[in-house]
Amino acid sequence: MSSAPRSPTPRPRRMKKDESFLGKLGGTLARKRRAREVSDLQEEGKNAINSPMSPALADVHPEDTQLEENEERTMIDPTSKEDPKFKELVKVLLDWINDVLVEERIIVKQLEEDLYDGQVLQKLLEKLAGCKLNVAEVTQSEIGQKQKLQTVLEAVHDLLRPRGWALRWSVDSIHGKNLVAILHLLVSLAMHFRAPIRLPEHVTVQVVVVRKREGLLHSSHISEELTTTTDSLCMSSERDAFDTLFDHAPDKLSVVKKSLITFVNKHLNKLNLEVTELETQFADGVYLVLLMGLLEDYFVPLHNFYLTPESFDQKVHNVSFAFELMLDGGLKKPKARPEDVVNLDLKSTLRVLYNLFTKYKNVE
């Protein structure tokens, strides 16, 4: 069935080489006396959405065209949102957040809509870092939300800056529901706290950047890398006997745990300490440090570690210090990471304790 011929519409017969649809849109607005009125901008935004001449901006909302002079707005290209790796990344992060916040009875369904005001980010950071932020619990105003975000992000920056993380987000970008910025923040948090998740590798998205200059809207495309390799993410490692034990012989796991508990209590009992749960009682690093002192027969000065650690970083410090004592004692560098032990990863804790058991099992 042949289509009816299109009715001619008044428009210039030729387009300049670098004149884009957004340029035409901005030019039209600039020529109108009331171009800055919201109603006009919304109408032009709708035209931009529906126009086949702007496929890259098919996801633009009317408010995205309401830009002040030199203001910039970014959005993910719709084709990138359909990429399987991108969808997997979003799903993995959503599931992780909901797992962490399950006791708070918080369910996150959409990252940009549920995280922009700082409420969920506050709860997430408090849960991960084991701290309490001095912020108002509920804030309705934009100013209050941004103040809360500022406090939350400053706490995040204090954690990440010493480790050289690139900070690819800001209060304005998070509050502006910039999904790229939110994903960068969540990926960095997951990596810092050694989240027990596997992030997809090499997730890259095309980002459309729209800027208003001299009354005209200009667009450009950039590639944004959200994740790199698994090695860089430090989310996985080579399989060993404990992987096999967990996967194929869970019935023997209780036997291994019982043997290790007997071993550590043989020494910790000298300090009137006793372990009943391996994954929880070694998570703050205190028992590991004390155990190393007992096994190597020396006193560990209390100023070298936190006897009652409260924050995530203090616990990581303790476990890292215990690892240093192990290296000084002639052991190989533990395969587990301090963050894994602090995050109650049983497999990592068993690896550390088993290394001690193999060397010191005959020590009285």
Side-chain angles (χ1 to χ4, degrees), residues 157-166 191-194 312-313 316-317 320 338-339:
H157 297 169
D158 289 341
L159 291 173
L160 301 184
R161 275 201 191 100
R163 304 195 173 207
W165 292 103
M191 293 166 62
H192 176 77
F193 289 104
R194 304 300 182 191
F312 180 85
D313 276 4
V316 170
H317 168 86
S320 298
E339 292 86 352

Side-chain angles (χ1 to χ4, degrees), residues 220-266:
S220 61
H221 286 70
I222 60 173
S223 292
E224 192 79 22
E225 186 179 58
L226 299 176
T227 67
T228 53
T229 64
T230 303
D231 288 340
S232 299
L233 296 172
C234 298
M235 292 292 178
S236 68
S237 57
E238 295 179 4
R239 292 180 61 81
D240 61 9
F242 281 99
D243 292 305
T244 304
L245 181 67
F246 272 72
D247 294 342
H248 304 292
D251 54 311
K252 297 182 180 179
L253 182 60
S254 60
V255 178
V256 174
K257 290 175 66 175
K258 184 177 180 180
S259 298
L260 292 177
I261 287 175
T262 301
F263 163 71
V264 297
N265 281 334
K266 172 183 175 182

Side-chain angles (χ1 to χ4, degrees), residues 108-308:
V108 176
K109 295 182 178 180
Q110 193 172 359
L111 294 178
E112 58 266 52
E113 293 297 332
D114 294 339
L115 270 63
Y116 80 95
D117 62 358
Q119 183 75 18
V120 174
L121 284 175
Q122 172 206 342
K123 296 297 183 182
L124 180 65
L125 183 61
E126 288 179 342
K127 195 74 173 178
L128 292 172
C131 64
K132 182 68 176 176
L133 298 179
N134 185 23
V135 294
E137 281 299 315
V138 180
T139 52
Q140 298 294 334
S141 68
E142 179 178 336
I143 294 177
Q145 290 172 353
K146 286 190 173 183
Q147 288 175 340
K148 170 178 278 193
L149 264 177
Q150 182 70 37
T151 301
V152 173
L153 293 183
E154 283 178 357
V156 171
H157 297 169
D158 289 341
L159 291 173
L160 301 184
R161 275 201 191 100
R163 304 195 173 207
W165 292 103
L167 308 180
R168 298 180 173 181
W169 55 84
S170 64
V171 170
D172 288 335
S173 63
I174 300 296
H175 194 267
K177 303 180 183 180
N178 184 319
L179 183 54
V180 172
I182 292 172
L183 288 171
H184 276 309
L185 173 60
L186 293 176
V187 168
S188 296
L189 287 175
M191 293 166 62
H192 176 77
F193 289 104
R194 304 300 182 191
I197 58 178
R198 184 179 295 275
L199 298 178
E201 298 181 7
H202 300 297
V203 179
T204 301
V205 294
Q206 291 295 313
V207 177
V208 182
V209 182
V210 182
R211 178 188 290 271
K212 189 170 186 177
R213 292 198 301 268
E214 298 180 356
L216 304 181
L217 297 177
H218 301 268
S219 68
S220 61
H221 286 70
I222 60 173
S223 292
E224 192 79 22
E225 186 179 58
L226 299 176
T227 67
T228 53
T229 64
T230 303
D231 288 340
S232 299
L233 296 172
C234 298
M235 292 292 178
S236 68
S237 57
E238 295 179 4
R239 292 180 61 81
D240 61 9
F242 281 99
D243 292 305
T244 304
L245 181 67
F246 272 72
D247 294 342
H248 304 292
D251 54 311
K252 297 182 180 179
L253 182 60
S254 60
V255 178
V256 174
K257 290 175 66 175
K258 184 177 180 180
S259 298
L260 292 177
I261 287 175
T262 301
F263 163 71
V264 297
N265 281 334
K266 172 183 175 182
H267 300 281
L268 290 176
N269 286 165
K270 299 172 185 176
L271 298 177
N272 293 322
L273 302 174
E274 186 167 0
V275 170
T276 56
E277 292 291 335
L278 295 177
E279 58 265 58
T280 58
Q281 289 182 268
F282 283 98
D284 62 7
V286 175
Y287 278 14
L288 271 180
V289 172
L290 297 177
L291 181 60
M292 280 306 304
L294 292 166
L295 293 173
E296 286 289 332
D297 196 23
Y298 56 68
F299 174 76
V300 181
L302 299 181
H303 65 267
N304 284 338
F305 66 103
Y306 297 94
L307 194 58
T308 56

